[in-house]
């Protein structure tokens, strides 16, 4: 009985902690284990420990910004005693489809309610696999629904950078406005660079133009959005930029030179960056 009462007291104390609610993509989720690597603490749990908050991490690998926004706002609105909400945004051209209506495509986990992918990348990857087959019809990558949907999106001009940028910034401003209306402390940050890195300077120049052209550009709060307007060419920054300033060769803070996902040390650095920003804004 004493043990039961003690456990109840501990749970009661824990439940009184404020909640840290976060969402993001693979920079926020346990990416390492998907690569058969040892799991390590992620920035949300590290930050929660620094802030003495309960961590609610709804981020998932490959999440697009619509999925990030939706999962985060659902928690912000429904949870009580929220101490801080953080959105770490992903690539602007990733698409997000809610899959919780039944009739899920083959290969989709029924517990994963969102299917997110990058149409350009997944279409080109499907095409690249043709070289391994004497008949393109035998290419299994082209039978996957992701390839098929990506092909339709590309052929009909539905996945452009301009639309993806405008949509993302609308969600950024909406997240900011909802948190302000509910009087909930919040931060935003761009995680990975928001455009496919292989597109080069031309693609980044266009992206910067679209950011500057957004009607929400001057409405984003630079105190709560770390690094706004997110691209160094227009005096902004993102998590990739932060890590590259410390580790320009991408050898010390990434999973590997070929895999630029943040490693264990980088996750600690990300938590420190966000902790410092939280203290600047809310202490």
């Amino acid at each position: 009985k004493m043990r039961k009462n003690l456990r109840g007291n501990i749970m009661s104390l824990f439940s009184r902690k404020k909640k840290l609610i976060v969402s993001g993509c693979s920079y926020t989720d346990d990416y390492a284990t998907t690569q058969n690597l040892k799991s390590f603490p992620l920035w949300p749990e590290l930050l929660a420990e620094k802030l003495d908050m309960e961590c609610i991490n709804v981020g998932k690998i490959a999440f697009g910004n619509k999925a990030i926004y939706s999962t985060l706002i659902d928690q912000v609105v429904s949870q009580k005693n929220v101490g801080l909400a953080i959105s770490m945004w992903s690539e602007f051209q990733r698409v997000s489809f809610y899959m919780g209506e039944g009739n899920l495509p083959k290969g989709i986990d029924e517990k994963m309610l969102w299917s997110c992918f990058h149409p350009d990348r997944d279409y080109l990857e499907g095409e690249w696999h043709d070289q391994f087959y004497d008949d393109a019809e035998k290419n299994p990558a082209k039978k996957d629904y992701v390839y098929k949907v990506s092909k339709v999106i590309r052929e009909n001009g539905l996945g452009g950078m301009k639309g993806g940028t405008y949509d993302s910034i609308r969600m950024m401003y909406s997240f900011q406005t909802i948190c302000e209306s509910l009087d909930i402390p919040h931060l935003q940050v761009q995680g990975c660079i928001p455009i496919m890195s292989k597109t080069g300077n031309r693609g980044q120049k266009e992206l910067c133009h679209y950011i500057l052209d957004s009607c929400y550009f001057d409405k984003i709060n630079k105190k709560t959005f770390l690094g706004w307007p997110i691209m160094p060419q227009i005096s902004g920054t993102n998590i990739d930029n932060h890590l590259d300033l410390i580790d320009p060769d991408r050898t010390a803070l990434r999973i590997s030179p070929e895999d630029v996902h943040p490693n264990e040390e980088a996750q600690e650095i990300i938590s420190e960056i966000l902790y410092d920003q939280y203290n600047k804004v809310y202490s």
Side-chain angles (χ1 to χ4, degrees):
K1 187 175 181 180
M2 286 181 60
R3 186 180 301 171
K4 183 178 180 180
N5 290 337
L6 181 60
R7 185 182 298 115
N9 291 336
I10 293 173
M11 292 303 295
S12 177
L13 287 171
F14 183 73
S15 67
R16 288 204 293 268
K17 281 189 175 183
K18 289 187 176 296
K19 297 180 177 70
L20 168 65
I21 303 174
V22 307
S23 191
C25 60
S26 53
Y27 281 31
T28 304
D29 196 10
D30 186 10
Y31 172 82
T33 56
T34 68
Q35 306 302 305
N36 297 317
L37 300 173
K38 183 181 178 181
S39 182
F40 46 76
L42 304 174
W43 68 262
E45 57 191 278
L46 294 168
L47 180 59
E49 185 175 350
K50 296 178 194 297
L51 296 172
D52 192 27
M53 293 184 184
E54 175 188 349
C55 181
I56 300 177
N57 182 359
V58 292
K60 297 291 182 184
I61 293 170
F63 257 14
N65 284 341
K66 182 181 177 182
I68 292 171
Y69 170 82
S70 300
T71 54
L72 186 57
I73 287 299
D74 286 352
Q75 291 293 322
V76 165
V77 170
S78 61
Q79 291 285 349
K80 298 182 184 299
N81 201 26
V82 179
L84 178 62
I86 301 180
S87 181
M88 182 173 285
W89 301 103
S90 187
E91 292 171 296
F92 288 177
Q93 285 179 279
R94 282 187 183 176
V95 296
S96 305
F97 296 101
Y98 184 73
M99 307 296 287
E101 306 297 337
N103 299 317
L104 299 180
K106 185 178 180 181
I108 294 294
D109 185 343
E110 62 180 9
K111 295 180 182 178
M112 174 65 82
L113 297 181
W114 289 89
S115 176
C116 307
F117 50 91
H118 194 301
D120 277 356
R121 184 160 49 232
D122 287 294
Y123 171 82
L124 293 173
E125 183 175 346
E127 293 290 307
W128 180 80
H129 278 87
D130 274 352
Q131 64 184 302
F132 302 109
Y133 302 91
D134 54 5
D135 181 0
E137 294 296 324
K138 297 179 181 179
N139 181 354
K142 288 189 171 183
K143 300 183 185 300
D144 187 88
Y145 85 97
V146 169
Y147 170 84
K148 294 177 181 178
V149 175
S150 297
K151 183 177 181 181
V152 171
I153 289 174
R154 281 174 54 93
E155 289 178 346
N156 291 276
L158 302 176
M161 173 54 64
K162 184 175 183 178
T165 302
Y166 287 173
D167 281 347
S168 294
I169 297 177
R170 286 188 197 100
M171 287 184 277
M172 294 167 179
Y173 182 64
S174 177
F175 170 70
Q176 170 186 301
T177 303
I178 291 173
C179 287
E180 288 175 346
S181 71
L182 296 174
D183 197 26
I184 290 177
H186 59 282
L187 294 173
Q188 301 188 67
V189 66
Q190 179 67 36
C192 57
I193 188 168
I195 186 172
M196 284 176 63
S197 59
K198 291 182 180 179
T199 56
N201 292 333
R202 179 178 175 275
Q204 293 188 23
K205 183 178 179 180
E206 290 178 348
L207 169 63
C208 291
H209 172 76
Y210 297 142
I211 293 173
L212 293 170
D213 191 51
S214 169
C215 62
Y216 300 100
F217 178 81
D218 292 326
K219 298 183 182 298
I220 300 295
N221 187 338
K222 289 186 177 181
K223 291 182 179 180
T224 57
F225 198 125
L226 178 64
W228 180 257
I230 73 176
M231 294 296 288
Q233 296 91 328
I234 49 177
S235 301
T237 188
N238 52 66
I239 291 299
D240 271 343
N241 295 148
H242 276 288
L243 299 180
D244 285 346
L245 287 174
I246 303 170
D247 177 34
D249 295 330
R250 295 189 166 188
T251 55
L253 298 179
R254 310 290 182 152
I255 293 292
S256 73
E258 295 77 28
D259 188 336
V260 298
H261 285 83
N263 64 13
E264 183 172 5
E265 184 178 353
Q267 290 284 339
E268 175 62 37
I269 290 172
I270 294 170
S271 74
E272 291 173 357
I273 290 171
L274 292 167
Y275 181 68
D276 290 344
Q277 190 66 17
Y278 171 82
N279 285 324
K280 287 178 183 177
V281 178
Y282 295 108
S283 293

